[in-house]
Amino acid sequence: MSPAPSARRPIIKDRDVFGFGYVPPDLPHRDKQLARLYSMFSQVVERSIPQTAFVTGGVGLGKTVMAKKFCSEMEEAGRKAGKNILAEIINCRNFNTPSSVLHEVITRRFQDHLQIKGFSVPDMLTILRKKLEKDHAHLVLVLDEANALVKESGCDLIYNFTRFDENSSGAQGHLSLMLISQFDVYQWLDAATTSTFKRANTITLPPYDAEELTDILIQRAELGLFPGTWTKELLEMIADIAAGESGDARRAIGPLGDAARAAEERQKDRITPDLLQRAHAEEYGGLPLERLDGLERHQLLALLGIARAMRKKEFINTGDAERAYHVVCEENGEKPRGHTQFWKYLQKLDSHGIIDTRTAHEGTAGTTTQITLHSITPSRLADMVAKVLAQSGRGGKD
Ligand code: ADP
Ligand code: MG
């Protein structure tokens, strides 16, 4: 009988913390970049002088979350200075034509979708300019994933935005522009557009290293999880993995949230390393097929046994693995090799980076060797191995 739900100890304190789009109170290891942005845009707040900036960097390096923080800080700074600053982020993957971008900005800010339907791009630019003038407002427009707009529609809109205040008198203006892209969009902009874009205002975000990711994870864990359900070592483990891959914060935060949910579902009182590894593998795992190259038939049979046995457990010991190997051999009409030989198979699979074997202490029973998988889920691995075995056939290499 399963225990009543009330017997469960909750793991997750605040689900939103792991949700898409959550903005934490501060951004560890992005304070320097944010400070640079604020200083670039200080003249916007103080004197309404238009500015341009470009933020670039790989996936999951905090571009979007920085932009969100930046936008709310800009509006706040405007309020404090008695200026009407509007800051808006448009994701150009969703709005990749000039008219859809303009339509979105105007309707979001001025709830005017009925009136602007069917207008041309120049008309909409005029409407936007007039509205901003009327409200004495300065719009800080962030085009996130700007490459999607440029790719689909060229750089006309960006050009128009950089000349937005051309006809107004003085240095003051109504529109500042920030482009965000994983790629260097400068190379796609034409000379007329880049001439008004300050290339020096480029911020390139570096990938996070393991220590930085650990800090980011500690922040999330403190905000979203109950104390005692996680340890720093646990977070370091996933931070190491994510840093080794690409330094993408999403690859660290996502699995932590998933592992927390899995721990709750399994009525655990804390998040275990295995749940975390599994959550990471589930989302990002994948083992190159080449890793299986050069494995003999019985090594593959042993691996299939391990993969199957791991479907139901977080980790298995060598005894479980050997029993599973025997079952697989029987199914395949093979005579299982002896115990010593099986150990050699395990060593081989470990050295190929497919499984991970480590010694664990098991109460009074002494030590045991535990097996876990590297960056792949048991069911995916089982499918992969079964295919390779089927291809090699019964008369395959041994
Ligand atoms: P990008 O836009 O560069 O692909 P995001 O800004 O979407 O990356 O960041 C990916 C995830 O990592 C988001 O959940 C974001 O909140 C989080 N994140 C990124 N950098 C930080 C940071 N320095 N501190 C806290 N969370 C971060
Ligand atoms: Mg982004």
Side-chain angles (χ1 to χ4, degrees), residues 22 24 26-28 30 58-65 208 216 219-220 249-250 253:
Y22 173 78
D26 62 299
L27 302 177
R30 286 296 178 247
V59 176
L61 302 189
K63 300 184 297 296
T64 301
V65 76
Y208 293 116
I216 291 171
Q219 180 197 48
R220 294 281 160 142
R250 208 169 285 138
I253 298 168

